[in-house]
Amino acid sequence: MLPFSFEWIWDLSHMVFMGGLWYALTIIGLGMTYCIIKAAVDTCKGKGGHCGH
Amino acid sequence: MDSALIPEGVKRCSFGKFIFWIIVVGAVLLWGVFAMLLCWFKGLNQTNMNDAYGFAVWIWADLAVIALGGGAFFTGLLRYIFGKDELKNIINYAVLIGFICYSSALLILAIDIGQPLRGWFIFWHANVHSMLTEVAFCLSCYFAVLTIEYIPLILENRQVDKVPFFHNLSHNMHGIMAIFAATGAFLSFFHQGSLGGVAGVLFGRPFAYREGVFIWPWTFFLFTWSAAACGPCFTIFITWITEKITRKKLVKKNVIMLLAKIAGWMLATYTIAKIIDTWYWAAVTVPSKGFTLMDFYSNNPLYGIWILVLEIVICGVVPSIILITKKGRESSFLLISAVFLGALGACVNRWVMVLQVMAVPVMTFESWPMYFPSWQEIATTILPVAYGIILIMISYRYLPIFPQEREIEQIG
């Protein structure tokens, strides 16, 4: 549910519950986006051969 | 046949033997899938749930696997946040077990809601006054975190790792794993707690009702605490089973000892808190509602006073004493018995907080309703076990789950 949804009410419960959900999803999403973009950049730079870590 | 996919320097059984066991466990899995499809296409009349048991074996299994999967978040917390570096040798397996437990929990919920196509309603049409909404949010997000923690393991497969992008992705994900681990611990704290909170706020059911702090009843904290204590016990127990089946040592003793010691102290402190909670509930809360302790226990086979003794003494006090003493931990038999009892304790606690809560009569004209699950409920509860075994078999064969395996094999 987002604030523009017709069910949305600007009260503490909605802000805490939905804010917490979107906060967690944002951290997970940004973290993965960072990893994928950095991996793509590293690959373009020729990093990551056939050896292990 | 598949030797190019197996991690370097380790031995695995023949491909034929591997496929044979996949088929055997797969048959059980298919039985569960058949029962699941029956529940989806014919409806919840396939179950033995009724007016007394709106929550039944599925919800018990759900809460139990979530508690047992707590080893992933707690081991991750210890490894990435508290810097217990030795645990890097068991964290992969803890994550795999957590991943299986949480995907199983979501699968069971998908069957239980009856209309899985409407599962997204809880996110979009959320009831923001329900602890179960918080559970659904945190459970889904934490499953995403566990998937993120599991992906690098897949990317470390011998052949996948040869692709530079996947190699770099895995490396980068390891680099910021502490952020994911911290997020996972935060989410776990709230969903484990809210599962306990659901029972604790039931003021119409004095068996479950507890006082607490602000909006959180004591059960909120006890559930999180027990998951942090019993989850690592389950991880150690499954590691031991895997070692017995593969007939080789996979994790060094010092790693198991450290995790067992921490789990032991968590279990000991949890058991003390649980005893205080039970005593206060029996001496103050219950009389204030017009009941006595023995009103909540019956002579029937499911809900006798024995269940309280089993949960607190046999699965709480006994394993705690074993795990916090060096002598207890060093005896293989005692250690495994203790971690088994610890894991069983979480299952018994969830059984009591789900099913006994439903069964205890609260009106003078009510009696103790009994419940036995239908075969469809049993099959769909066994389904995640079969799925878990298959995923462990595949992961163990093709992924570097145990970093110390090669070294131990060379020494041995």
Side-chain angles (χ1 to χ4, degrees), chain A residues 17-49:
Chain A
F17 265 75
M18 301 313 296
L21 174 66
W22 289 113
Y23 181 63
L25 288 175
T26 304
I27 291 174
I28 294 168
L30 284 178
M32 276 312 291
T33 308
Y34 165 79
C35 290
I36 292 167
I37 292 174
K38 192 166 183 296
V41 171
D42 288 347
T43 308
C44 291
K45 284 181 182 171
K47 282 187 192 172

Side-chain angles (χ1 to χ4, degrees), chain B residues 302-325:
Chain B
L302 294 181
Y303 309 115
I305 190 74
W306 60 268
I307 207 163
L308 187 67
V309 178
L310 176 68
E311 183 195 344
I312 294 180
V313 181
I314 299 172
C315 296
V317 176
V318 173
S320 300
I321 292 170
I322 294 172
L323 291 175
I324 61 173
T325 52

Side-chain angles (χ1 to χ4, degrees), chain B residues 67-68 70 73 192 219-233 266-267 270-271 274 311 342-343 345-346 349-350:
Chain B
L68 298 176
F73 96 84
Q192 298 279 4
T219 46
F220 180 98
F221 305 99
L222 289 172
F223 264 51
T224 305
W225 208 334
S226 65
C230 303
C233 289
M266 289 300 292
L267 192 60
Y270 162 73
T271 305
K274 178 73 187 169
E311 183 195 344
N349 175 259
R350 272 40 172 187

Side-chain angles (χ1 to χ4, degrees), chain B residues 272-295:
Chain B
I272 292 167
K274 178 73 187 169
I275 290 169
I276 294 169
D277 169 74
T278 306
W279 173 80
Y280 184 83
W281 165 78
V284 179
T285 312
V286 167
S288 75
K289 305 285 175 192
F291 289 88
T292 64
L293 174 68
M294 289 314 291
D295 288 333

Side-chain angles (χ1 to χ4, degrees), chain B residues 131-132 135 190-202 208 210 215-221 223 353:
Chain B
M131 284 211 178
L132 281 176
V135 171
F190 279 98
H191 76 246
Q192 298 279 4
S194 288
L195 283 171
V198 169
V201 296
L202 295 175
R210 296 290 191 281
I215 60 165
W216 297 293
W218 296 125
T219 46
F220 180 98
F221 305 99
F223 264 51
M353 296 307 277

